[in-house]
Amino acid sequence: MRRTRNSRTSPAAGSALYRALTGWTFALPFTVLFLLFTAGPVAVSLVMSVTDIRSADLLDPLGVEVVGFDNYVRLFTDPKFVRACVNTAVFVGVGVPLTMALALAFALGLNSGLVRFRTAFRVGYYLPVVTSIVAISVVWRFLLQPESGLVNELLSAVGIQGPNWLNDEAFALPTLIVMAAWRNLGFAMVIFLAGLQAIPRELYEAATIDGARRWAQLRHLTVPMLAPTMLFVAVITTIAYVQYFEEPFVMTQGGPLDSTLSMAHHTYNQFGFGNYGYASAMGYVLFVVVVGLSIAWFRLLRNNVDR
Amino acid sequence: MTGERGTRRKDRVARLGLHLVLAAGLVVMVGPFVWMVLSSFKTESEIRQVPMTWLPDEVTFANYGDLFARLDFPTYFTNSVVVTVFTTLTNLLFCSAAGYALAKLPFGGRRLLFAVVLGTIMVPNIVTIVPLFVLSSNLGLVNTLAGLILPFAAQAFGVFLMRQFILSIPDDLLEAARIDGATEFRIFRRIVLPLCRPALATLGILTFLSSWNNFLWPLVSATTEDTYTLPVALALYAIGQNRTDYDLLLAGSVVVVVPVLVVFVLLQRHFVRGIATTGLK
């Protein structure tokens, strides 16, 4: 029915033009800002990554030379960058499953129908998500102090001598991973709760009648039904963790001995040194990693949904 | 009879255990914030004291006074408020208008625009930092508040959210208004925007949060103290020579965190609903 509008005789031509103009009028403010500050820089960054542009070249753009893939080749012979890649891989590889497992466990507990004060729990668990990572990092730096920190005092109360969490090469990265899980599990939990509530009750009743025990129900009913939600949480958490930056910036400055240096942190440092072309190449590698991991999650969990 | 009573007792034990585990989790989640707020009222020597204390022995407001006397926290606070308010308002306005155009107004280049928007949603901030900085310095935006607002004034995620929501508004409703002679602008203001209230609430909340807590770009772009936002000031203070001023750091963290906590606790229903719905779409 609505299609006839286009074929109307007299106002049609004027109307189509009018529609196109109003369409662009509505889209224009966004489009200008978006192209200038988001889409443009994404494209320019790719161009910069194949040049030797440095901060000094801002005054003399003609001094910039195209160097092809030199920056990318240099990246993978830069031991600091390789170290940053390994650290980021560990951060994502351990942090994402840890966060999701904890979030799912708490969501299942809250959703079991046995719990009172659900709102209070939900608000409490969500609290760290809304707060500034910088402020959280400052507070945790206090709590993790080797001598006077709360964590080690609690440990010593049960007779354990706590380590120097942030200054020990072996403990610094795991500590940051646990902190990230602490901060982000509330977000995943809320999404899981919404997903759990969307599973029809009858399915559980049917499973109970068929004699399926709790664990079997979780494995064969809840987890498969939750797969689309898990996909969403996995992608969002992965994208966030690949870029982790604030925690090491405030708490460890990438140390000790680069053991917490992340890809984003290393990129930021190179930008700070004025190596713009090199930093752009690093940023692009990070971008490719984000896209690659997202596609991998889609493959993994979509297959799970179809089965 | 006895069997039933047995299951009931088992249920009660399970319920108690579950509450204990969840409560322990709650203490771990909320404890650091409680400690932060309480300790911001302690003297510096008490903060360093071993064994540590929860409640301050002697309550002092000196730490907050120092934020004003030794640092320029009112300026950082004002900067954060200005940047957050403008970023949120511009996103609500521009993203809903563009979302309406992308969902309901056929115009040349619409598909291409939407494809580019989708393509940039996942781009990490760090990727665009270098060209954005070069652009900003050419436009004279470095060390200005406008330079902190404009790059985030119209975000791809916001347009995506608004477009998806506006798609669900029936065409017939808009068409009826058009037949009655309403202009597109009037339709947008009188029909589309009121119907979009839930989506606008979600977008407003998410933009408010990400803007208030935003760190990487302000760190790069605001290099003079008069343009620092709260997170930048706190982070630079925490890693600088003053990193041992425990009292100041804690009071500063409270100033960064508490406004968000207040807004969150007051609006928590909207937060959770909004975030859960974006997750399911």
Side-chain angles (χ1 to χ4, degrees):
Chain A
M1 267 267 282
R2 300 290 153 223
R3 298 248 161 255
T4 55
R5 156 167 288 275
N6 290 333
S7 55
R8 250 189 240 161
T9 44
S10 60
S15 160
L17 183 65
Y18 172 76
R19 280 286 183 90
L21 276 178
T22 36
W24 271 113
T25 313
F26 274 96
L28 201 63
F30 167 80
T31 310
V32 169
L33 286 168
F34 172 74
L35 289 181
L36 193 58
F37 290 107
T38 305
V42 172
V44 172
S45 163
L46 184 60
V47 175
M48 281 183 166
S49 75
V50 294
T51 69
D52 64 352
I53 184 169
R54 296 182 38 82
S55 54
D57 293 319
L58 289 187
L59 299 174
D60 173 28
L62 294 176
V64 179
E65 277 181 44
V66 174
V67 294
F69 291 103
D70 281 11
N71 286 327
Y72 290 94
V73 174
R74 220 175 101 204
L75 274 182
F76 291 96
T77 52
D78 171 356
K80 265 196 183 237
F81 181 75
V82 173
R83 184 69 205 258
C85 287
V86 172
N87 291 341
T88 307
V90 173
F91 195 88
V92 174
V94 179
V96 173
L98 178 70
T99 309
M100 288 180 66
L102 286 172
L104 184 60
F106 283 122
L108 286 169
L110 279 183
N111 198 48
S112 64
L114 298 172
V115 177
R116 304 175 67 185
F117 317 116
R118 276 173 54 172
T119 308
F121 281 121
R122 215 176 47 185
V123 170
Y125 283 101
Y126 202 78
L127 220 52
V129 180
V130 298
T131 48
S132 150
I133 309 185
V134 170
I136 282 176
S137 300
V138 168
V139 173
W140 273 102
R141 222 173 65 182
F142 284 109
L143 300 176
L144 292 167
Q145 293 264 333
E147 306 300 327
S148 59
L150 173 65
V151 174
N152 278 1
E153 278 199 29
L154 289 177
L155 285 178
S156 74
V158 291
I160 299 171
Q161 164 86 52
N164 189 344
W165 300 100
L166 296 172
N167 289 315
D168 186 317
E169 227 189 314
F171 282 100
L173 189 59
T175 306
L176 291 192
I177 292 174
V178 172
M179 217 189 84
W182 172 85
R183 178 174 189 269
N184 290 290
L185 78 87
F187 172 79
M189 189 194 78
V190 165
I191 307 269
F192 280 145
L193 268 175
L196 285 172
Q197 277 155 13
I199 302 177
R201 283 254 153 258
E202 301 87 67
L203 289 181
Y204 287 100
E205 283 158 20
T208 313
I209 292 168
D210 288 347
R213 299 205 162 246
R214 282 241 168 119
W215 180 248
Q217 289 189 14
L218 178 67
R219 258 195 66 187
H220 299 293
L221 176 57
T222 310
V223 169
M225 289 293 287
L226 217 52
T229 315
M230 287 203 181
L231 171 65
F232 176 77
V233 172
V235 169
I236 296 280
T237 314
T238 304
I239 292 177
Y241 281 16
V242 170
Q243 307 176 51
Y244 85 101
F245 170 71
E246 278 107 324
E247 299 95 332
F249 184 87
V250 173
M251 298 176 81
T252 59
Q253 287 86 57
L257 295 172
D258 293 336
S259 62
T260 57
L261 186 72
S262 70
M263 287 169 82
H265 198 170
H266 192 36
T267 310
Y268 169 82
N269 286 341
Q270 287 302 320
F271 166 76
F273 298 148
N275 301 326
Y276 289 177
Y278 193 51
S280 295
M282 257 181 221
Y284 246 82
V285 172
L286 197 73
F287 182 30
V288 171
V289 169
V290 165
V291 173
L293 286 176
S294 303
I295 293 172
W297 274 121
F298 267 99
R299 287 260 164 92
L300 190 72
L301 288 166
R302 269 291 139 81
N303 288 343
N304 225 8
V305 179
D306 293 340
R307 242 189 316 172
Chain B
M1 268 302 260
T2 43
E4 196 177 291
R5 196 173 293 163
T7 10
R8 233 193 246 162
R9 185 171 305 149
K10 222 170 136 193
D11 261 10
R12 208 177 298 156
V13 171
R15 187 178 289 213
L16 185 68
L18 190 57
H19 275 94
L20 284 178
V21 171
L22 287 172
L26 193 62
V27 170
V28 174
M29 300 307 281
V30 180
F33 295 105
V34 176
W35 183 84
M36 167 188 80
V37 173
L38 290 175
S39 298
S40 69
F41 296 107
K42 292 174 189 165
T43 59
E44 179 152 16
S45 60
E46 195 186 342
I47 297 173
R48 293 171 184 276
Q49 180 185 315
V50 184
M52 49 109 21
T53 53
W54 279 96
L55 288 173
D57 280 338
E58 134 192 28
V59 175
T60 169
F61 294 91
N63 304 334
Y64 290 94
D66 277 357
L67 287 182
F68 292 76
R70 284 167 53 197
L71 288 173
D72 202 2
F73 252 66
T75 303
Y76 313 146
F77 191 85
T78 317
N79 290 344
S80 270
V81 170
V82 169
V83 170
T84 303
V85 167
F86 274 97
T87 307
T88 307
L89 289 180
T90 51
N91 272 286
L92 289 176
L93 185 66
F94 297 153
C95 293
S96 56
Y100 176 52
L102 286 172
K104 298 290 183 189
L105 301 173
F107 61 91
R110 180 165 88 150
R111 284 196 173 178
L112 179 68
L113 179 61
F114 189 58
V116 178
V117 167
L118 277 187
T120 55
I121 275 187
M122 278 197 305
V123 178
N125 275 341
I126 192 90
V127 175
T128 56
I129 283 294
V130 180
L132 206 50
F133 184 78
V134 175
L135 177 70
S136 280
S137 39
N138 284 329
L139 296 175
L141 290 172
V142 172
N143 292 327
T144 66
L145 290 187
L148 297 182
I149 297 164
L150 285 173
F152 294 90
Q155 294 173 47
F157 167 75
V159 161
F160 176 71
L161 184 78
M162 294 313 297
R163 174 190 178 264
Q164 297 311 92
F165 193 86
I166 293 172
L167 276 180
S168 68
I169 297 176
D171 282 338
D172 294 353
L173 199 63
L174 309 176
E175 208 61 39
R178 276 175 203 138
I179 290 166
D180 287 346
T183 60
E184 290 299 332
F185 180 73
R186 197 179 159 81
I187 294 172
F188 175 67
R189 233 188 58 185
R190 293 292 162 116
I191 301 175
V192 176
L193 278 187
L195 287 174
C196 279
R197 227 171 270 158
L200 289 170
T202 302
L203 179 61
I205 286 168
L206 292 179
T207 315
F208 164 79
L209 276 186
S210 64
S211 182
W212 183 266
N213 295 334
N214 194 12
F215 181 61
L216 183 59
W217 176 245
L219 177 69
V220 167
S221 168
T223 57
T224 54
E225 286 205 21
D226 58 319
T227 51
Y228 282 176
T229 57
L230 282 174
V232 173
L234 183 64
L236 292 181
Y237 202 76
I239 65 168
Q241 302 161 338
N242 308 309
R243 54 188 305 174
T244 46
D245 290 345
Y246 289 6
D247 45 346
L248 269 182
L249 285 175
L250 277 173
S253 301
V254 172
V255 173
V256 177
V257 166
V258 165
V260 174
L261 288 194
V262 171
V263 173
F264 169 60
V265 172
L266 288 179
L267 297 177
Q268 63 91 10
R269 214 166 274 277
H270 297 276
F271 266 75
V272 170
R273 193 185 301 147
I275 282 143
T277 47
T278 47
L280 289 181
K281 279 236 166 107

